[in-house]
Amino acid sequence: MKTAYGKLALLAIALAAALLLFAPMRSGLEDYLYARPGLIKMNRGDTYDITYHLISENPQVVSFTSTDTTVAAVNSAGKVTAMGPGEAQIRLKARDGAKAVVRVKVAGNPATSLSLNASALAMEKGQVTGLRALFDQDAEETLVEWSSLDEQVAQVDAVGRVTAVGGGKTRVVARTPNGVTAEAEISVHVSGTAVRIIPEDVTVGIGTRLRLGSYYLPDDTTDEITHWTSSDETVLRVENDGTMEAVGIGSAVLGVFSAEGLSGSTVIRVEPSAADFAISPTAATLERGNAFELVPRFINAEGQLDERSSGHYITWVSSDPEVASVESGLVKALKSGRTRITAYADGMESTCDLRVQVLVHEVRLDTNEVYLLREQTVNPIQLNAQVVPADADEPWITFTSDNELVATVNDDGLVSPTGGYGTAVITARAQSGAEARFTLNVVLQLPEGYDASAPAEDAAFQE
């Protein structure tokens, strides 16, 4: 080994060892991973997307882990979610070993008290103003969620900015993640341009008592009615709530006045009242979705129709407007139930007791027709019925067979073949008369192309 060749061999071995020794170090130095920022300060519930830069000749996947998921959780894309107060590290690691760390600090002291800079706001429609949340001195967690109890009146955004949308009152609520709340009452004022009386320009009979109403333009005006007047109290008297009473023949002007100075008026004519008043029919049954018109009749002292009074104003009322509505005598059936329609005119009233029903319009069976060989008539066939509409008042179905030598059927639609050849038609009938039919054919030979393995496929419910 002391020869020149020996020295060269030793040198080659030393160089090879050095390369093997320092190769991993060189590889590690070639990859560099860094993330920004190095520190993230968050409130509970906040999220943050970590960005990083990897210097490497090879594309690599970078993974993310949290040292404390009760403080900060992180997903595979580097999105950090603040879970609770404290500190944690988000550790980044490239596939080939390069690493980086991001510190996360989540505010540790939740708010124990919360107030707003204003307990009430008076606003004009279209105005925008702001509310500010005020916390106790030691609070570090200052995340607030804002909401409005009526967004038709006022809306609030994520930073407490309030927009007045329509006339009325509502409350804006601020809530912290730990449930501490504060509220401010929002009053939105809308000035009116006009006020009108309803009904207007009508003719009534003596003895009529009628509660008048009013409406504003625009319809979300926040003005209020203060009082009513009559130009001639020997003809019409009116109370402060707008209830008028016809006491004498003639005409009078009724006036209405608002707190903001608006006024409206109408002329009411008073004539002699009819001797009697009635509507017909006095009882009726109507199917949901249908309508009919009640006929009012004014009767004179001789028991005849009083044509002179036929133009007198009639007030129509439904005792349950969800079951049926009424307008000018036109009744519309809305849902199953009972209601009473009352008509008021000339100080008299008449009623119609109304029942609204929902009938079965259609019956559907899941199977329409089946062919069986006699040796296949061992097992019964279950028929399943569906009624339309599904919320019918009487959804019950009765089943009958027209040929019990072939098959019988029980009350639940279970068809039992009795062993005979031939055809049995099973009828499913609703109380309303709607019906559907199923045909069972017991034959010596199945029809060509008939699939006995799926006899019911052809009759699945169709909408």
Side-chain angles (χ1 to χ4, degrees), residues 194-217:
V195 60
R196 301 185 70 172
I197 295 172
I198 47 174
E200 59 183 354
D201 298 330
V202 296
T203 300
V204 299
I206 292 177
T208 298
R209 280 184 64 84
L210 177 61
R211 176 72 178 269
L212 299 170
S214 61
Y215 69 93
Y216 288 92
L217 296 175

Side-chain angles (χ1 to χ4, degrees), residues 385-463:
Q386 180 187 57
V387 298
V388 179
D391 62 345
D393 293 338
E394 298 178 341
W396 308 287
I397 298 295
T398 58
F399 294 90
T400 57
S401 170
D402 72 343
N403 188 351
E404 294 192 349
L405 295 176
V406 174
T408 60
V409 62
N410 69 9
D411 293 340
D412 296 322
L414 185 68
V415 179
S416 300
T418 53
Y421 286 108
T423 297
V425 177
I426 309 299
T427 302
R429 182 176 290 107
Q431 302 293 316
S432 66
E435 60 183 40
R437 292 181 176 84
F438 161 75
T439 303
L440 174 63
N441 303 282
V442 180
V443 295
L444 293 171
Q445 184 176 352
L446 296 176
E448 186 177 350
Y450 180 75
D451 184 2
S453 66
E457 179 180 335
D458 168 67
F461 287 134
Q462 302 292 326
E463 290 297 335

Side-chain angles (χ1 to χ4, degrees), residues 221-398:
T221 300
T222 52
D223 197 1
E224 295 181 351
I225 299 300
T226 57
H227 63 284
W228 296 75
T229 61
S230 170
S231 65
D232 189 342
E233 293 196 346
T234 64
V235 175
L236 285 173
R237 295 174 186 161
V238 63
E239 300 171 10
N240 281 335
D241 65 355
T243 300
M244 70 160 211
E245 183 179 8
V247 294
I249 297 172
S251 295
V253 177
L254 288 182
V256 63
F257 299 86
S258 79
E260 295 184 12
L262 295 177
S263 63
S265 63
T266 188
V267 176
I268 307 294
R269 292 168 294 280
V270 181
E271 297 179 348
S273 62
D276 196 8
F277 170 72
I279 59 173
S280 63
T282 57
T285 298
L286 196 60
E287 190 173 359
R288 180 179 65 185
N290 290 345
F292 81 110
E293 194 159 5
L294 289 167
V295 179
R297 291 185 173 87
F298 292 89
I299 310 299
N300 60 25
E302 288 75 36
Q304 305 297 318
L305 288 177
D306 189 344
E307 298 292 344
R308 181 194 61 184
S309 302
S310 62
H312 288 184
Y313 185 78
I314 303 171
T315 301
W316 300 88
V317 177
S318 171
S319 63
D320 191 341
E322 291 189 355
V323 172
S325 64
V326 60
E327 185 174 353
S328 300
L330 182 65
V331 179
K332 294 180 180 179
L334 304 176
K335 78 170 188 177
S336 177
R338 294 180 180 272
T339 187
R340 172 168 288 184
I341 307 298
T342 304
Y344 301 88
D346 288 9
M348 296 171 279
E349 65 180 72
S350 182
T351 62
C352 171
D353 290 319
L354 179 66
R355 178 194 173 197
V356 176
Q357 62 183 0
V358 181
L359 299 177
V360 174
H361 285 209
E362 184 182 356
V363 178
R364 300 173 181 175
L365 292 175
D366 59 347
T367 306
N368 290 336
E369 188 170 26
V370 169
Y371 287 87
L372 294 176
L373 298 173
R374 188 170 184 177
E375 57 267 25
Q376 295 176 317
T377 61
V378 178
N379 297 320
I381 300 169
Q382 179 64 60
L383 296 178
N384 297 300
Q386 180 187 57
V387 298
V388 179
D391 62 345
D393 293 338
E394 298 178 341
W396 308 287
I397 298 295
T398 58

